[in-house]
């Protein structure tokens, strides 16, 4: 889950609640929120990121469809700029231990292994997790060269 526009902390918080409300889906764990410098174009605000573990009976394509629906409700506009700013980004990082590559969806997420803003929150909720073909989240986080994101304190 990521956002860097229109109150990113609120965008991410609301999105996490909406994930738990998806049909045939239960949010089993959610990480803290983390703030980090933008990866990609630097002339955009910092990002707030989090990760969630979902138990779901939705297949990967249907899940992706539902996530894009939530993104649209959050005013997501698909801009021309790669890695440009966005109100809400919901990416499927892993789907069980599936390895998928279709036109619309690649799982594990191709950027997962290089992105500290993904690995650090993932490590928080799933320290034992293995990424198919890539090793443990712990070893990937250890090896990641990107600056560590700042963990935000939960609102009182
Ligand atoms: N997402 C992007 C581009 N750059 N940078 C950070 N820190 N966090 C993100 O989630 C992010 C990004 C496009 O998905
Ligand atoms: Mg993304
Ligand atoms: Mg995305």
């Amino acid at each position: 889950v990521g956002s860097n526009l229109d109150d990113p902390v609120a965008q991410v918080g609301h999105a996490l609640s909406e994930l738990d409300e998806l049909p045939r889906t239960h949010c089993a764990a959610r990480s803290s929120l983390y703030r980090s410098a933008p990866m990609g174009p630097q002339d955009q605000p910092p990002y707030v990121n989090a990760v969630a573990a979902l138990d779901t009976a939705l297949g990967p394509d249907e899940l992706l469809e539902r996530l894009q629906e939530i993104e649209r409700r959050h005013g997501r506009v698909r801009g021309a700029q790669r890695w440009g700013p966005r109100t809400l980004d919901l990416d499927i990082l892993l789907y069980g231990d599936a390895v998928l590559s279709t036109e619309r969806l690649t799982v594990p997420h191709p950027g997962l292994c290089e992105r500290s803003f993904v690995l650090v929150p993932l490590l928080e909720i799933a320290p034992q997790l293995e990424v198919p073909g890539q090793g443990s989240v712990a070893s990937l986080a250890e090896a990641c060269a990107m600056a560590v994101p700042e963990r935000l304190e939960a609102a009182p």
Side-chain angles (χ1 to χ4, degrees):
V1 183
S3 169
N4 74 337
L5 294 178
D6 296 350
D7 195 349
V9 168
Q11 297 279 357
V12 171
H14 292 145
L16 289 168
S17 304
E18 286 166 86
L19 293 175
D20 190 47
E21 288 155 14
L22 287 175
R24 298 189 288 151
T25 301
H26 162 70
C27 180
R30 51 153 85 178
S31 74
S32 307
L33 274 50
Y34 292 81
R35 185 185 292 119
S36 58
M39 175 192 72
Q42 294 298 294
D43 57 340
Q44 59 176 327
Y47 277 76
V48 173
N49 290 104
V51 308
L54 305 180
D55 284 327
T56 186
L58 301 175
D61 287 330
E62 196 183 352
L63 179 61
L64 179 64
E65 198 59 55
R66 298 283 186 167
L67 297 182
Q68 291 180 347
E69 209 172 281
I70 297 174
E71 288 179 342
R72 286 192 293 271
R73 282 209 301 275
H74 283 247
R76 169 77 176 264
V77 183
R78 294 205 169 256
Q81 193 183 31
R82 182 172 185 240
W83 290 344
R86 60 226 25 225
T87 51
L88 184 64
D89 186 32
L90 295 175
D91 291 342
I92 300 176
L93 301 171
L94 299 161
Y95 188 92
D97 53 13
V99 177
L100 307 169
S101 184
T102 69
E103 192 107 323
R104 300 186 62 210
L105 183 61
T106 303
V107 173
H109 189 291
L112 187 148
C113 297
E114 298 98 65
R115 299 181 182 180
S116 58
F117 58 83
V118 173
L119 292 168
V120 170
L122 196 53
L123 189 61
E124 180 188 340
I125 65 164
Q128 308 298 330
L129 192 67
E130 293 281 324
V131 180
Q134 312 280 348
S136 68
V137 170
S139 63
L140 292 166
E142 181 79 24
C144 185
M146 195 184 279
V148 173
E150 173 198 358
R151 192 169 82 90
L152 303 178
E153 295 302 327

